[in-house]
Every structure is written in C-alpha cells, then in structure tokens.
Amino acid sequence: MTRRLSSSRKSRRPGPAAPAKTGRLRLIGGDYRRRQLPVLDHPGLRPTPDRVRETLFNWLTAAVPGARVLDLFAGTGALGLEALSRGAREATFVEADARVARQLADNLATLGASERATLLAIQTQAFLAGTAAPFSLVFLDPPFHQDLAAGCCAALEAGGWLAEEAWIYLETESSLAPAVPTSWQLHREVRAGDSTGRLFRRRQADDQSPDGDGC
C-alpha cells in the first residue's frame, strides 16, 4: 500500500495535491546513454550512484547483451534500465511501492523500452515465493537495516530463479556481510559511502574454482 505524505498546510480548506518532488536519473552507457529521467523524491529511494553503475557494468560487459534480467527492490530501476540500454534481451522489475512503480513505468515508456520489460508492483518476497523462471543476471538492492538480504539470496537459489552460471549483484549497507549460498562465488566488490556492492557468479557444486581476481 502506498503511504501518503502528510501535508504541512495550515489551512483547513482542501486544495489541489502538491506534485511529487522529483530528482533526475542519468543513464551512463548503451543506447540510452546520457538520457535523463525523472525519479521521485521518496523515503528510502537511493539510486545506485553513477560511479558504482559504471564500475559494475564494466565488470559485466560480456554478460549483459542478450541477458534475462531481474531487478528486485527496483526503486528507480537504475540497474535494470542500464542493462536494457546495454543490450539485455528483457528485464523484470519488482517494486512494491505503487507510486514509485508508476514512475518507473513512465520512464520505460519514455525510453521506448516497455516491450522488453515486465513491471510488477508487488513485494519482492511475494514474487520470490511464486513460480520461478531462471534469470542470467539479477540485481538485489534491498532497503537498508531491514535484514532482508540473506533471505532473498536463499530464496533466489532455492526457488529456481537463477540460470546455471547467473551473475548476482547484491548491494547492502557496508556494515552488513550477509550470508549467501555456497554456490555463489564473490567476483568483485565496490564501496561507495555507506553501501557496498558485491558481484557474485553462480557455480555448480562441482565447479568451485575461483573466478576473476576477487576483491
């Protein structure tokens, strides 16, 4: 359910609703490079910074084209939109807040990307409890300080949501070191402010050799 912001108006007379404040999201690579999109000024909404996105997608250069992408706790959709811009075949965005989801839908339409996107305005946990289809690239950026990361990681692995050698990007507060499935190998990590992003590669039990030079 979308939570309404309380009004600071002192008058008791009803007036028109104030328009939602917006910021801007700049896409940094691919077909939509330099496109700027409005994003709501909404509590807890924190797009992954440009520098982190640029670093992450440099790591994923070969993995994005043709990928099936899942963007959980999508918010502005910055990561999923960046993947579509860089050649992902399709992306599913999961965002529980209806107002934030509507803005993301508008931005997909502005980019002409709606046909390659599925947008679901439901809780991530409810989505992960549903019928799975495997994705090759997953972005997981849960709200901070709510202890959601480990449970979502376990559900992704156990629920059949991951392709055999899927990439998973997990962004959490830097103070948190969430447990991840043993089949996920840490490939790289990046820190920015109070957040840390970790990129994992899923491996089968009989293929546990290190991948990349780690962190």
Side-chain angles (χ1 to χ4, degrees):
M1 180 182 295
T2 303
R3 184 172 58 187
R4 295 182 180 276
L5 298 178
S6 59
S7 171
S8 61
R9 293 171 61 91
K10 295 182 180 180
S11 171
R12 296 181 182 179
R13 296 177 59 188
K21 294 181 180 180
T22 59
R24 307 295 290 180
L25 168 68
R26 182 176 67 94
L27 299 179
I28 56 177
D31 293 341
Y32 310 139
R33 184 181 181 187
R34 298 197 180 105
R35 295 288 296 271
Q36 296 198 34
L37 302 167
V39 295
L40 294 180
D41 182 5
H42 188 77
L45 200 60
R46 42 175 185 79
T48 300
D50 288 11
R51 179 180 68 82
V52 174
R53 275 186 285 136
E54 185 170 13
T55 297
L56 172 62
F57 282 94
N58 284 342
W59 296 339
L60 291 170
T61 297
V64 174
R68 294 191 71 243
V69 174
L70 177 59
D71 192 348
L72 298 171
F73 302 99
T76 65
L79 296 174
L81 292 173
E82 199 75 55
L84 287 174
S85 181
R86 296 166 184 256
R89 175 161 55 96
E90 59 185 271
T92 295
F93 298 86
V94 180
E95 170 52 50
D97 189 284
R99 205 160 58 107
V100 175
R102 283 195 296 271
Q103 182 64 72
L104 177 52
D106 289 345
N107 287 343
L108 285 163
T110 296
L111 295 172
S114 298
E115 291 186 359
R116 291 191 291 146
T118 300
L119 174 58
L120 302 173
I122 62 174
Q123 294 284 348
T124 287
Q125 296 91 327
F127 172 82
L128 292 175
T131 303
F135 290 86
S136 56
L137 175 57
V138 176
F139 301 117
L140 178 58
D141 185 8
F144 284 4
H145 310 300
Q146 294 188 28
D147 198 25
L148 297 173
C152 289
C153 291
L156 281 168
E157 179 65 31
W161 293 104
L162 301 175
E164 184 173 317
E165 294 191 347
W167 293 94
I168 307 100
Y169 174 73
L170 173 62
E171 189 170 317
T172 67
E173 59 269 40
S174 292
S175 60
L176 184 68
V180 301
T182 57
S183 57
W184 296 14
Q185 292 186 355
L186 181 64
H187 181 67
R188 297 282 197 280
E189 79 173 32
V190 59
R191 296 189 181 187
D194 63 349
S195 67
T196 295
R198 297 176 176 90
L199 180 62
F200 296 92
R201 186 78 183 274
R202 183 174 185 260
R203 297 296 196 189
Q204 294 300 306
D206 59 353
D207 183 12
Q208 295 296 313
S209 58
D211 182 30
D213 56 11
C215 56

